[in-house]
């Protein structure tokens, strides 16, 4: 993907990560439709992101990164998503893990290993928690993936589903139940070049196809006993770090905000550039079309302001609470509404693959599959309101 590197901004812009992301996204957009059709992991995009330094955006400066917070990170993710949302989602998950490392939530030895690799190569990593039998751990239930002790290693067996970016990951953080007399839930840093690791093509989703969120199979995979990222008793619900949740919800919503922005831009190109003979003027001259475009701008402005507000609160160290969940819910619903409006306003031509509006819509509705889903968020907020009045 040598062309992507040529898109890096001029020297005076090189210290602006959002400008770099915007320039790279323009090139990523040239191959996004092809990746959507093939489901191929866009390895070249991540080579370009690594060479630009953006894989270290949220890494502390002392560890070789930019040291940026969520305000910049969410803007970078939205910019990349305008070009290739599958790339942006994989990057968002990479950032989410590295933000936890920066906050000191990882054992020092494992953190040092991951940080060194991130400076050396495109060393992507992501969580591997969902399984075919239990779905997301957000729904409860013990993982069927097991880890038993043999000498100085864990021996891991199981199958993980929806591992976003799997073909490009260097590591997966695998959730497993130990076979000890008193079982634990452990999260192990598993290198994906280890013996016994296989992947199976299983991601056949309507949208975000190039995330290649396939199944990870582990058969007698050996991992050093010390390579535990987190642990807890198995009889307790899976513990979630509050700050991790804030970061993830903002980054996730930013991906789909970027999708909506791209849909808006594609629609405008069509409406301002198409002049029907019967009209003698661009479609954008029709009042009904102008009103529809205005509705899109209202939704995008709300998303932009909501994401910026929460990102700034996170960077200021303020407790965001369930506002992060609510914002994620609203931003994703608005993104779906934007892409739906774009299809309606685009008419017959809007359904053509080469206009990309239908692809943006497919990508946006895929957001509804991320756990916790919207109905779960509403239930959480509803219960919270009942509890607040002593009900």
């Amino acid at each position: 993907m040598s062309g992507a590197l040529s898109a890096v901004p001029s020297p005076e812009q090189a210290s602006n990560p959002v400008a770099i992301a915007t320039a790279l996204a323009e090139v990523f957009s040239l191959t996004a439709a092809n990746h959507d059709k093939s489901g191929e992991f866009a390895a070249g995009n991540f080579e370009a992101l690594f060479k630009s330094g953006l894989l270290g955006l949220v890494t502390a400066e002392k560890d070789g990164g930019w040291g940026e917070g969520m305000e910049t990170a969410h803007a970078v993710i939205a910019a990349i998503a305008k070009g290739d949302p599958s790339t942006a989602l994989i990057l968002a998950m990479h950032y989410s893990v590295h933000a936890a490392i920066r906050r000191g939530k990882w054992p020092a030895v494992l953190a040092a290993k991951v940080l060194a690799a991130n400076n050396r190569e495109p060393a992507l990593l992501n969580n591997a928690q969902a399984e075919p039998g239990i779905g997301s751990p957000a729904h409860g239930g013990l993982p069927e993936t097991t880890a038993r002790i043999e000498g100085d290693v864990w021996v891991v067996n199981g199958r993980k589903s929806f591992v976003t970016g799997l073909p490009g990951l260097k590591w997966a953080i695998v959730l497993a139940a130990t076979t000890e007399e008193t079982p634990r839930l452990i999260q192990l840093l598993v290198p994906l070049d280890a013996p016994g690791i296989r992947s199976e093509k299983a991601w056949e989703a309507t949208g975000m196809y190039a995330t290649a969120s396939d199944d990870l199979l582990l058969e007698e995979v050996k991992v050093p006993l010390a390579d535990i990222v987190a642990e807890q008793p198995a009889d307790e619900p899976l513990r979630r770090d509050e700050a991790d949740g804030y970061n993830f919800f903002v980054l996730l919503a930013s991906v789909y905000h970027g999708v909506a922005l791209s849909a808006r831009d594609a629609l405008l190109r069509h409406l301002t550039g198409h002049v029907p003979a019967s009209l003698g003027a661009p479609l954008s001259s029709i009042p009904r079309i102008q009103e529809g475009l205005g509705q899109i701008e209202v939704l995008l402005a709300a998303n932009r302001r909501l994401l910026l507000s929460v990102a700034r609160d996170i960077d200021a160290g303020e407790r965001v609470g369930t506002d992060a969940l609510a914002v994620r819910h609203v931003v994703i619903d608005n993104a779906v509404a934007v892409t739906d409006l774009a299809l309606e306003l685009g008419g017959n031509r809007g359904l053509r693959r080469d206009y990309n509006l239908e692809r943006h819509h497919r990508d946006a509705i895929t957001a509804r599959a991320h756990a916790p889903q919207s109905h779960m968020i509403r239930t959480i907020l509803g219960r919270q309101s009942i509890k607040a009045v002593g009900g």
Side-chain angles (χ1 to χ4, degrees):
M1 190 76 175
S2 59
L5 296 182
S6 66
V8 173
S10 58
E12 59 270 21
Q13 296 176 300
S15 61
N16 183 339
V18 180
I20 294 172
T22 300
L24 289 175
E26 289 180 7
V27 176
F28 295 170
S29 70
L30 301 178
T31 54
N34 290 336
H35 287 136
D36 172 69
K37 290 176 184 176
S38 69
E40 177 187 2
F41 172 77
N45 290 359
F46 288 94
E47 286 285 346
L49 286 164
F50 167 70
K51 290 177 181 177
S52 73
L54 287 184
L55 291 188
L57 182 73
V58 301
T59 301
E61 290 184 76
K62 67 180 179 59
D63 294 317
W66 291 73
E68 295 287 352
M70 278 300 117
E71 181 175 350
T72 300
H74 102 273
V76 165
I77 291 297
I80 295 295
K82 284 188 68 176
D84 188 326
S86 290
T87 293
L89 183 60
I90 297 165
L91 182 62
M93 295 185 174
H94 182 77
Y95 283 171
S96 185
V97 175
H98 274 273
I101 292 173
R102 181 178 170 186
R103 295 197 333 275
K105 296 300 182 180
W106 274 45
V109 173
L110 295 186
K113 180 192 299 187
V114 167
L115 291 168
N118 201 48
N119 288 331
R120 187 175 61 244
E121 59 185 318
L124 300 175
L125 75 168
N126 195 4
N127 293 290
Q129 296 189 340
E131 295 183 354
I134 67 166
S136 166
H139 299 291
L142 284 174
E144 296 174 353
T145 300
T146 61
R148 71 177 189 273
I149 297 175
E150 284 191 5
D152 60 353
V153 298
W154 294 103
V155 181
V156 186
N157 287 277
R159 184 186 190 112
K160 296 296 184 181
S161 300
F162 310 124
V163 185
T164 301
L166 180 57
L169 299 184
K170 184 175 180 66
W171 291 286
I173 305 158
V174 174
L175 178 67
T178 71
T179 60
E180 300 163 299
E181 184 175 347
T182 303
R184 289 178 285 166
L185 282 180
I186 60 174
Q187 297 185 51
L188 292 169
L189 184 66
V190 178
L192 296 190
D193 59 356
I197 292 287
R198 291 192 298 114
S199 63
E200 185 172 294
K201 185 68 177 173
W203 181 241
E204 295 294 343
T206 296
M208 304 297 282
Y209 194 39
T211 61
S213 302
D214 295 324
D215 282 10
L216 171 65
L217 283 69
L218 306 101
E219 299 173 0
E220 298 289 291
V221 176
K222 294 179 172 60
V223 180
L225 288 180
D227 286 6
I228 297 178
V229 174
E231 60 179 301
Q232 66 172 81
D235 59 359
E236 295 180 3
L238 184 62
R239 295 172 184 168
R240 301 287 192 184
D241 183 88
E242 194 171 51
D244 284 350
Y246 298 164
N247 292 338
F248 179 67
F249 295 142
V250 168
L251 294 172
L252 178 69
S254 298
V255 172
Y256 296 101
H257 178 55
V259 171
L261 290 171
S262 197
R264 184 272 312 274
D265 291 353
L267 176 64
L268 280 171
R269 285 192 295 271
H270 167 53
L271 295 178
T272 59
H274 183 55
V275 181
S278 59
L279 183 63
L283 289 171
S284 57
S285 65
I286 301 173
R288 179 184 68 84
I289 296 292
Q290 294 169 357
E291 187 207 4
L293 288 171
Q295 177 62 19
I296 286 174
E297 293 302 328
V298 167
L299 296 170
L300 291 176
N303 281 2
R304 182 172 63 251
R305 285 293 184 172
L306 287 171
L307 287 168
L308 181 60
S309 174
V310 175
R312 285 178 172 172
D313 283 353
I314 292 170
D315 289 345
E318 297 184 19
R319 189 177 184 278
V320 177
T322 52
D323 284 359
L325 275 172
V327 166
R328 167 251 167 96
H329 185 307
V330 171
V331 169
I332 285 174
D333 274 5
N334 285 355
V336 172
V338 166
T339 61
D340 190 51
L341 270 168
L343 278 181
E344 178 184 343
L345 296 172
N348 289 339
R349 286 175 180 260
L351 295 173
R352 288 175 47 161
R353 283 183 176 268
D354 55 345
Y355 274 67
N356 292 313
L357 292 178
E358 58 84 29
R359 172 166 62 88
H360 298 319
H361 185 60
R362 287 188 288 104
D363 285 340
I365 62 175
T366 306
R368 290 176 166 162
H370 292 289
Q373 289 89 358
S374 293
H375 70 92
M376 295 178 67
I377 293 173
R378 292 192 296 270
T379 300
I380 290 168
L381 296 177
R383 288 174 176 169
Q384 184 185 60
S385 67
I386 294 168
K387 184 178 179 181
V389 296

